[in-house]
Amino acid sequence: MTDNEDQVAGLLLAAGGGRRLGGRPKALLEHRGRLLVEHAVATLRAAGCARVHVVLGARADTVRRRAALDGCVLVDNPAWERGMGTSLRAGLASLAGTGARAALVSLVDQPGIGPEAVARVRAAYRDETSLVSAAYAGVRGHPVLFGATHWDGIAATATGDRGARAYLKEHEESVALVECGDVAQPYDIDTEADLVHLE
């Protein structure tokens, strides 16, 4: 591993059940002719992540059957109903021992965040102590990059739907913010009203 190529792994959180979407898993929603989970993986790859781990939960079997996720490591999160924190923990655990020195974490329900923004965050990686976050008009958002030295601390504090929020708040002075508001829109597909963003 002579460069950053294999050191930064993409980690896609795609386990949610879409409770506010009438129970439609977000990974299976369609956008521009393909499933959101495929779209999100393609974004991570286009941004330079050769290795991508995808955390599945709601209707994982259907996602495996329908989605073209060749070359991805698929991680099952049986506790997905307990919130995003469980997916983050499962994903980080799956990266242990792979040689990855950082995880670039993105969410399946943010198709407005494309390769340009993700690549910016990835480019801010320095070493396994890095903590980087995309920012939109100065406000922290996704994707986020966690150097490996932070994984245990994040896993210990990732509960419910909070993910790494508590850890990032605690280590605010160490987080490098990368402005992405000029190249991405950080909306979530959470409710029926949000479906207007899908094409």
Side-chain angles (χ1 to χ4, degrees):
M1 288 194 286
T2 51
D3 58 13
N4 293 354
E5 197 60 26
D6 295 322
Q7 296 184 12
V8 179
L11 177 55
L12 177 64
L13 305 186
R19 194 172 56 243
R20 287 182 286 169
L21 283 167
R24 281 182 289 171
K26 296 174 182 183
L28 293 169
L29 295 174
E30 287 198 19
H31 179 57
R32 294 182 184 164
R34 57 182 169 181
L35 300 180
L36 266 192
V37 68
E38 295 169 346
H39 181 82
V41 165
T43 295
L44 282 165
R45 288 215 169 112
C49 292
R51 181 207 312 265
V52 178
H53 286 218
V54 182
V55 182
L56 300 177
R59 292 183 48 203
D61 291 346
T62 307
V63 177
R64 283 172 186 269
R65 198 170 59 246
R66 286 190 51 203
L69 299 172
D70 309 341
C72 294
V73 174
L74 303 182
V75 181
D76 281 310
N77 174 16
W80 64 269
E81 287 182 85
R82 297 216 303 271
M84 187 173 64
T86 62
S87 290
L88 184 55
R89 285 205 301 273
L92 291 175
S94 76
L95 286 171
T98 63
R101 297 175 69 195
L104 181 49
V105 182
S106 67
L107 307 181
V108 75
D109 66 346
Q110 294 191 316
I113 299 175
E116 243 180 310
V118 180
R120 277 187 194 178
V121 172
R122 187 177 173 278
Y125 165 75
R126 295 293 168 259
D127 57 34
E128 61 269 23
T129 67
S130 293
L131 271 182
V132 185
S133 174
Y136 300 90
V139 178
R140 201 176 67 230
H142 283 91
V144 285
L145 182 144
F146 304 131
T149 56
H150 300 283
W151 294 355
D152 287 346
I154 289 166
T157 57
T159 55
D161 270 329
R162 293 174 61 79
R165 205 176 304 159
Y167 189 88
L168 288 172
K169 200 164 176 54
E170 204 180 309
H171 296 81
E172 210 156 0
E173 71 293 338
S174 309
V175 180
L177 291 182
V178 178
E179 183 56 49
C180 294
D182 57 321
V183 292
Q185 295 176 297
Y187 56 78
D188 299 316
I189 308 295
D190 277 338
T191 65
E192 294 283 341
D194 298 327
L195 295 175
V196 299
H197 292 298
L198 299 180
E199 297 166 16

